[in-house]
Amino acid sequence: MSMGVKEDKPNTPKKPFIYYYTIMMVVLMALNLFLMPMYRSSQVTEVPYSTFLDMVDQGVVTSVERSDDEIVFLVKTGNKTVFGDDEIAQYKTGPWPDNNLEDTLRSHKVQFTTPIIEQPSALMTILVQWVVPILLFVAVGQFMGKQLQKRMGGPNAMTFGKSNAKIYAESETGKTFADVAGEEEAKDALKEIVDFLHDPQKYADIGATLPKGALLVGPPGTGKTLLAKAVAGEAKVPFFSISGSEFVEMFVGMGAAKVRDLFKQANEKAPCIVFIDEIDTIGKKRDGSGMGGNDEREQTLNQLLTEMDGFDGKKGVVILAATNRPESLDPALLRPGRFDRRIPVELPDIKGRESILRVHAKDVKMDDTVDFTAIARATSGASGAELANIINEGALRAVRMGRKVVSQQDLEESVEVVIAGYQKKDSAVSEDEKKIVSYHEVGHALVAACQSHSAPVHKITIIPRTSGALGYTMQVDQAEKYLMSKDEVFNKIATLTGGRAAEELIFHSITTGASNDIEQATKLARAMVTRYGMNDQFGMVALETVNNQYLGGDTSLACSPETARVVDEEVIKLVKEAYKKAMEILAQNEGKLHEIAAYLLEKETITGDEFMEILNRKEETKTESAEHELVTE
């Protein structure tokens, strides 16, 4: 992306340095001209040799310096200086023609061995005393300024009061709504702004005004910045792009000055779009904790609020902003008249994921057998940025394998890379540990398959991954699910406990491999009690609040310590019930557990179809089952 330049008012080119040097020389010449009389009294005056002898006889000569071609001497003038001493004038005459001159000088007590230092010219004095120190000072200042810029982050660090916004001309964003997939609702909300910028008159005829601002809210990677660029590309208007952190300066008041400069530029370029990314940096709630001092962020926010109120909406200046922390924004920023619209940019559904995969696959050579729908089903909860990464990882894998096109296998492997990391080919996992991991993963799959309202098993593997997982079981729903019943949530907890249950059932001991399962099961059980109202003890009472829903979704309890203790008891009870159910299912299907675990140990990776084929086979005879169990144990 290239930075645009203002078209209406081109920047004035910087004057060359010779311009400033010429001015400096003219000033120096003028100073030399006017200051010359100050030095005339100390200039050397040439006199005849006879005059020199007369001055010696008169006793006014104080010292003489002899050279091969001239004699330079000092003479008392008779005038007094401000310090009370006689003034001294400097003269010179021809060479030394008289051999008796030395005796004459001795008789008049004239010093003729003392060297006389020549008085420098006025120009040299000015240069040495004024110009050189100034130039040295300027050079040191420039050097220190460059070092400060490097430490503070670039050439714009010391441009106080300038907004540093990147300005893209009409065609320079290179993005349109065709480049945005999976966010149809957000695009529909923004198309009206584009239409207003194209034809404002039809809105003015009915008395409608353009929304001053639109706030794009959603998780990271969903395409908020891309949507803003697409709006500018569709409207064919200049696009100002700046991050909220660029308003935060080291000096108080500089952020507010940058806001003023940004809106001044925007008004000059209207109609245009101003995009402020990560606006929560400067738009946080004002809580009065400034301790009585000047808060730079608060001043910047106040200036932003003032500017958004002050500019004329009919000019066609639209403010777009993006954030993934809307709960932290100041209410004054969100009221109508400032950010009139709040546009959610959520994680895409299965149809949106398929569209995003196809958009990113346009420039990648794909095999004709690639099934984007299957990849979209396997990537539930993935953002647009993660889906783009999956396509790129698939292309990289195809190159590593020496293929010219990307296959379905490449994309499926890239999904696993994004979820669990790369395969650890040189992992030194012992055979005993592999056997434990095999039973553990089959325990998950078997509990899931034997329950209703559970997602089908897609893949089971015991190949270690770089994320630290020694194996995993992947379940993929056939359709997108937005709601989960109480039975589905409980069954999911039972599935999570199935790995630990299999270890205890077969090996009569437990390992540390279930740590992630325990964490997820506990989180789900707590949510059933505190947020979903799926507990008979508390019913429809919210005991927990979600913070930063787009950034991890941390929770905090909103109840008394006594209630929190009861919550813990109910969570433990739920997990224990799910674990008991998993143990019962595995005990009833122990033969299949041995059979599938042995097959997985041999193959290391099996598909969901292979798993179901073994599970649905006719039961073995009791003798064969007993022999098989004896061998595996």
Side-chain angles (χ1 to χ4, degrees), residues 277-454:
D277 201 4
E278 306 296 345
I279 196 172
D280 51 274
T281 307
I282 59 170
K284 289 182 180 178
K285 293 177 182 177
R286 293 165 289 183
D287 52 7
S289 60
M291 303 297 291
N294 288 323
D295 187 355
E296 165 70 355
R297 295 174 190 266
E298 187 169 315
Q299 288 195 19
T300 305
L301 174 59
N302 290 338
Q303 188 64 47
L304 179 61
L305 297 175
T306 303
E307 293 292 341
M308 290 189 72
D309 273 342
F311 74 86
D312 186 3
K314 295 180 180 178
K315 282 188 174 182
V317 178
V318 180
I319 312 297
L320 297 180
T323 182
N324 41 40
R325 298 182 61 191
E327 70 283 345
S328 69
L329 294 179
D330 195 280
L333 198 62
L334 302 177
R335 72 160 176 81
R338 286 181 178 137
F339 282 105
D340 302 272
R341 291 189 175 182
R342 176 168 170 163
I343 301 175
V345 188
E346 301 288 347
L347 294 171
D349 56 14
I350 184 170
K351 184 179 178 182
R353 292 196 297 273
E354 183 177 351
S355 301
I356 292 171
L357 288 169
R358 293 185 184 278
V359 166
H360 289 293
K362 282 192 303 184
D363 299 326
V364 181
K365 294 181 179 178
M366 291 285 176
D367 189 85
D368 295 336
T369 59
V370 169
D371 184 4
F372 289 108
T373 305
I375 302 300
R377 267 201 307 268
T379 52
S380 178
S383 66
E386 290 171 329
L387 295 171
N389 191 32
I390 286 171
I391 293 292
N392 189 56
E393 286 289 346
L396 294 175
R397 186 177 187 273
V399 174
R400 285 197 301 270
M401 296 297 177
R403 291 192 291 271
K404 298 293 183 182
V405 293
V406 179
S407 66
Q408 182 76 8
Q409 184 182 359
D410 294 325
L411 293 179
E412 289 179 353
E413 177 63 27
S414 67
V415 171
E416 297 181 41
V417 166
V418 172
I419 293 174
Y422 292 94
Q423 293 183 5
K424 294 176 69 175
K425 298 179 181 179
D426 300 327
S427 179
V429 180
S430 66
E431 289 300 319
D432 289 340
E433 287 182 336
K434 276 189 176 180
K435 187 175 181 181
I436 293 172
V437 174
S438 178
Y439 275 98
H440 182 104
E441 298 304 333
V442 173
H444 286 308
L446 202 55
V447 172
C450 294
Q451 293 182 117
S452 58
H453 309 297
S454 185

